[in-house]
Amino acid sequence: MVIEKARVISLSKISNNYYLIKVHSPLIAREIKPGQFCNIKVSDTDFPLLRRPFSICDVENDNLIFAFDIHGEGTKILASKKPDDILDILGPLGNGFNLEGSYELAIIIGGGIGIAPFPFLVKNLPNNVAVKCFIGGKTSEHLIKYNLKNIYTATDDGSEGFHGNVVDLFNNEIKNFLTKNFRIFACGPTQMLRSLQKIALEKNYDCQLSVECAMACGFGICQGCPIEKSNGDGYYLVCKDGPIFNADMIIV
Amino acid sequence: MVIEKARVISLSKISNNYYLIKVHSPLIAREIKPGQFCNIKVSDTDFPLLRRPFSICDVENDNLIFAFDIHGEGTKILASKKPDDILDILGPLGNGFNLEGSYELAIIIGGGIGIAPFPFLVKNLPNNVAVKCFIGGKTSEHLIKYNLKNIYTATDDGSEGFHGNVVDLFNNEIKNFLTKNFRIFACGPTQMLRSLQKIALEKNYDCQLSVECAMACGFGICQGCPIEKSNGDGYYLVCKDGPIFNADMIIV
Amino acid sequence: MEIDLTVQIGKLKLKNPILLASGTVGYGNEISQFIDLSKIGGIVTKSISLKPRKGNPPQRICETPSGMLNAIGLANVGLEAFIKEKIPFLKKLNTTIICNIAASSIEEYVECTKVLNEEESIAAFEINVSCPNVKEGGLEFGNNLDAVARITEKVKSVTNKTVIIKLSPNVSRISDFAKVVKENGGDAVSAINTLVGTSFNIWTRKPKIKNITGGLSGPAIKPIALAKVLEISRNVDIPIIGIGGIMNWKDAVEFMIVGASAVQLGTVNFINPFAALEILDGMKTYCEKMSISKISELTASYILDEH
Amino acid sequence: MEIDLTVQIGKLKLKNPILLASGTVGYGNEISQFIDLSKIGGIVTKSISLKPRKGNPPQRICETPSGMLNAIGLANVGLEAFIKEKIPFLKKLNTTIICNIAASSIEEYVECTKVLNEEESIAAFEINVSCPNVKEGGLEFGNNLDAVARITEKVKSVTNKTVIIKLSPNVSRISDFAKVVKENGGDAVSAINTLVGTSFNIWTRKPKIKNITGGLSGPAIKPIALAKVLEISRNVDIPIIGIGGIMNWKDAVEFMIVGASAVQLGTVNFINPFAALEILDGMKTYCEKMSISKISELTASYILDEH
Ligand SMILES: Cc1cc2nc3c(=O)[nH]c(=O)nc-3n(C[C@H](O)[C@H](O)[C@H](O)COP(=O)(O)OP(=O)(O)OC[C@H]3O[C@@H](n4cnc5c(N)ncnc54)[C@H](O)[C@@H]3O)c2cc1C
Ligand SMILES: Cc1cc2nc3c(=O)[nH]c(=O)nc-3n(C[C@H](O)[C@H](O)[C@H](O)COP(=O)(O)OP(=O)(O)OC[C@H]3O[C@@H](n4cnc5c(N)ncnc54)[C@H](O)[C@@H]3O)c2cc1C
Ligand SMILES: Cc1cc2nc3c(=O)[nH]c(=O)nc-3n(C[C@H](O)[C@H](O)[C@H](O)COP(=O)(O)O)c2cc1C
Ligand SMILES: Cc1cc2nc3c(=O)[nH]c(=O)nc-3n(C[C@H](O)[C@H](O)[C@H](O)COP(=O)(O)O)c2cc1C
Ligand code: FES
Ligand code: FES
């Protein structure tokens, strides 16, 4: 965990209001693992006050790549960055995905910007593991396929792929993979994670969820990011104990 | 008095930490008179909260030119503007210099960034009026001669011209002009205006001072910018009754 | 879709919930060069005192993070000049005029109200008991329940117009003050006035504001103001005018949701004199989106899943 | 030039005036990965209560203009685990440990202090009477002079270590509270804790913070905090630890000028975990520039030309 003043290399708009930002950040690039995140100060003034958390989307040598959509003030400022601007980045943070254990197939489920952590995850999967990507979005405009393969798409408006939400799509297709020993990696809106969690628990699938919540510090000192333990005994901290949790650990 | 979204045409560093910014602002350009000022929102966020007042330095057709130095957050942001950025400008504000009446010679006295209002003033003087400019600064680096002629310089460190402050320089030279019917226009640090005012009142010179003070609105609704009347009966508002006052009207 | 924007403050019916806050638009003349004041709910005049006040010496204001401090010192033309010089102009604006009164004694409040009550053009009174400069034996009226009770009762006894008491936020339980206002016949409360703050120059070690302390306003105080309005709304049944850090229509809606029947815009006028109309438009669009036909339905529409 | 950075808080001597505020650095382990805590004045632990508290459900925090709201709900490991698990680590940091205690009854304050008094590594106690969650019959201790008086007196009676009472800013006259602290034997006060605030989602009409209201911290509250510290400094002769919105060394200096003997850094730790050391360096340079040989000379060095 370090703070690095990272130089912006490029900012590109991938579609709709989704952006990719690439920054030179060797120290963090060396350390960071799939599913971890960084907490970024998007301005060098006190506005906005807090850092903004973003999952690591991809790593190219000494460069970090983040995928983001414009949500409010902070991401608006981030989207206005130009090459050679400096970003103050705190990371790597969080636990990251658990890639250990025996599974032949990685099933990725991402809703909207929720695909952000997966390009880097796919890169780091054991060689013998196959990948299927389920990607959902409001419209075809909202589907992000950056660096992903074997893609099944779902759109709420039916403008591309399955007409409906990505969890239903997954639920329809899963029968084709039941023979395989698979692990699910999912990230997206809370609603999506809830419905997926329900299925995963019923069928008790091996399933890891990347969750989001408001954060101040991102490294465990403010206790601002609780998520309820399924065992009833209090809360985990999303920034330290998460953001990746097995489906059976938490109440999304 | 209007609010105009003005496009930045150019930003140039003239010396040390002095800058010129040129913006396309036809409505204000048509209206504004020498000695008036504009209240500028330097960002499109709520930080910094208040507008920043700047004297009109020059007008070229539909363009306004402001001269400024980096003082704090607001001017730092202003100095980071790039062509095609948009500035939110409120103006013209204030009374402006009084150019009426009979005088053959305009004596300009400016300290540091205090010369800002004078290029535009000189342009607008009656043709038959001659001009002498007394310019002071900490060092030669701090002397701004932009669009000014007939210049007498003074520096605190003696690195250029008279070794001392610009008011003393003026006081030494004035004997050469006493035959003439002159009017003094001055702008600069409060200390400078005070010492000049003292002389002007003693010798009762025709003298107009451009004063500064903290402002919120710039157009008379907050009452945040008082300056004491010399007649003891309360305060003028610098933004409405000023920023230009005859030396005998106020207590600087 | 036609949205009913009118709101009721006691006997007073406003065209819409947007008011301009006292001391932030003087007597309307400058701001009226930017916006047609007949389009908004009304304007609250700069605090009027019996005699003219020249106000505090400079420096009166300074900027703070997302806020500003002011110590204007209630500079105002005084009752007489207000009636002679200001009211005639205010009338022409054909907007609702709420006259804000400040005083240093209960008698002065009563005296001012009596005189101004004769002015037909004045629709209501806002009694400023919360200005840091107004003291009674060193104690601020605004922080003293008995003083607020007496002022409300005495002022009400000399006018039939709507009386709004402007509360101080510098207290532990603002709802206790709203309660005494109600008990003593006050028609409404406005909350909040500025919070006491200061700022020092570290090189001179002197206060940036000559008066040493000033009143903090602007976005910085919005969360505090919202909590005060919500506290009143949950504890006292009295119309509330919400004030504090409103910069855009979202902020105004937020104040109505937590309990305000109308809102006042202050500091934002200094930065964006068009704010009042922009905010009004934004609120209309919001009501359409949420298919709210009467904007007054927004008031205290908060949803709290408690216990 | 060698500058004496030490400051005195009652019997407690600090290496320098920079402390980390309660609840903003947990028990020191995470932040110690960024800065060497032995270099700063000390660390104030997250409020400890007799029994563990799991804290409030999410959402616990939200950002506001130049500030943030929090309602953590005093989540903490409880007295026993604190002693068993946290103190051993804290010792290793060799920094001054100030233990912050929160409780829901006077007895609980006394009980906690008694037990923790045995821990040599604890240099002083900061008694949090000002946490919005700590109530006595619905009334906050921190807003009740008698309660603060009794807590101070009772806690002092069971320890000889320095006792600092952390005051609530949600009161009319904070100096009255500092006075009773002094009268009842308290060694110092810290000011301020967070201000009550709220924020609502205008689309769901629900509070952004599950607890409905939260505590406002960050730069937004700095002018208020400075005014509170100045008020105490001008009215009561007791050491003050200044807290509220400190982001850089200038802010820290400003707090000392208005009366603080030391300062605590809170919210800034979340944004810049190096802040404590950066601020310390900045203060040293400032002292050199101003040729101040003992940093304690800064305390209450304000210059007010009054009347
Ligand atoms: C572990 C983690 C990983 C994330 N990864 C990504 C990513 O890879 N790409 C991406 O686009 N977004 C990601 N997010 C969400 C991202 O942090 C928010 O979109 C962003 O903080 C919004 O800031 P804003 O100023 O634009 O929005 P505003 O609404 O103006 O922000 C206001 C406050 O709310 C917080 N906030 C608002 N929305 C969220 C949210 N969904 N999650 C957490 N905090 C929020 C902000 O941090 C800020 O403190 C992630 C969030 C977390 C917790
Ligand atoms: C009528 C008028 C005309 C001016 N013309 C010019 C000009 O042509 N060129 C130029 O460089 N400067 C000019 N100034 C000064 C300029 O407004 C300040 O330098 C600027 O506001 C500083 O803002 P900041 O955020 O960089 O500094 P900060 O110190 O960060 O500003 C903090 C607050 O203090 C106020 N403030 C700080 N210094 C001054 C000051 N000297 N006068 C007024 N307010 C101040 C700011 O407006 C802001 O509200 C003028 C001021 C006035 C009143
Ligand atoms: C410069 C200034 C002057 C003010 N003068 C008065 C006044 O005379 N009477 C009064 O009741 N309130 C006065 N106020 C308080 C405002 O009416 C309002 O209550 C406060 O500013 C909070 O709202 P805001 O954050 O939108 O500015 C003044 C505020 C400012 C900033
Ligand atoms: C997330 C958070 C948790 C806090 N927890 C505590 C606490 O447990 N006990 C306490 O006395 N103060 C607590 N505080 C208050 C701080 O110690 C400090 O008084 C306040 O945040 C103001 O300082 P700041 O503006 O520098 O943050 C907390 C503050 C924050 C932001
Ligand atoms: S965000 Fe601060 S503890 Fe998790
Ligand atoms: S700056 Fe507002 S009245 Fe002059």
Side-chain angles (χ1 to χ4, degrees), chain B residues 222, chain C residues 21-24 46-47 68 70 72 74 100 126 128 166 192-194 217-218 221 243-246 264-267 270:
Chain B
C222 77
Chain C
S22 179
T24 69
K46 172 74 184 168
S47 283
M68 66 177 278
N70 88 82
I72 306 301
L74 292 180
N100 180 297
E126 180 177 67
N128 178 8
K166 187 168 185 179
I192 62 178
N193 206 320
T194 53
S217 66
I221 70 169
I243 322 170
I246 297 175
Q264 290 180 21
L265 312 182
T267 302
F270 307 154

Side-chain angles (χ1 to χ4, degrees), chain B residues 18-19 35-39 42 48 50-57 66-78 93 113-117 187 210-216 225 238-239 242-243, chain C residues 59 61-64 208:
Chain B
Y18 296 125
Y19 295 79
Q36 289 189 301
F37 68 100
C38 294
N39 213 2
V42 297
L50 300 175
R51 291 175 178 269
R52 300 294 191 253
F54 297 94
S55 303
I56 184 68
C57 177
F66 300 98
F68 66 97
D69 63 349
I70 294 190
H71 186 287
E73 281 297 348
T75 44
K76 207 170 98 205
I77 293 171
L78 197 60
L93 301 171
I113 194 65
I115 66 92
C187 181
S210 177
V211 303
E212 285 185 6
C213 75
M215 292 185 173
C225 60
V238 171
C239 75
Chain C
Q59 186 168 338
I61 59 165
C62 94
E63 195 177 47
T64 67
K208 287 192 183 161

Side-chain angles (χ1 to χ4, degrees), chain D residues 2 20 167 172 179 203 205 237 255 263 269 274:
Chain D
E2 239 336 303
L20 302 182
L167 300 177
S172 302
K179 209 171 273 126
W203 305 109
R205 304 226 198 92
D237 176 24
F255 268 92
V263 298
N269 297 308
F274 298 116

